[in-house]
Every structure is written in structure tokens, then in C-alpha cells.
Amino acid sequence: MAVSLGSDTAKIQTIQRDIVDPKSKAFIWCDSDSFDFDASSNEEAQDTAKTVS
């Protein structure tokens, strides 16, 4: 007997921001944000869009 497991597709966007001093090339700060399109609300999508801006 065979059992079909199917397939899953996740729609996830990850944004990473690195801030580097342009003169010294020294690393200053790092941050990331992740958004799951299937499990998140419209408000969370707008917050992520603001972060990118």
C-alpha cells in the first residue's frame, strides 16, 4: 500500500539589513525580518513593507 504525502509550498519573504560605515567599512548593525504570506495578516504585510521602505 502506498501513501501519498503530497507537497507543501511555503511563501516566505526574508529581509536582512546590514549597516556598514562607508568610510571605515566597519560593521555597525544587522537586522532581519521574515514574513509568511500564508500565515500572516494584511497588517503584518504592511509592517514588513514599511520596514523595507
Side-chain angles (χ1 to χ4, degrees):
M1 179 172 143
V3 177
S4 176
L5 298 176
S7 66
D8 281 335
T9 302
K11 298 175 190 169
I12 298 173
Q13 175 181 1
T14 302
I15 302 160
Q16 181 164 340
R17 298 165 297 270
D18 297 326
I19 298 177
V20 177
D21 183 296
K23 290 183 181 180
S24 68
K25 307 293 186 206
F27 174 78
I28 298 172
W29 182 73
C30 177
D31 184 0
S32 65
D33 188 15
S34 185
F35 180 78
D36 183 339
F37 287 93
D38 293 330
S40 299
S41 70
N42 188 39
E43 184 177 328
E44 290 172 314
Q46 291 174 358
D47 288 344
T48 299
K50 286 179 188 176
T51 300
V52 172
S53 296

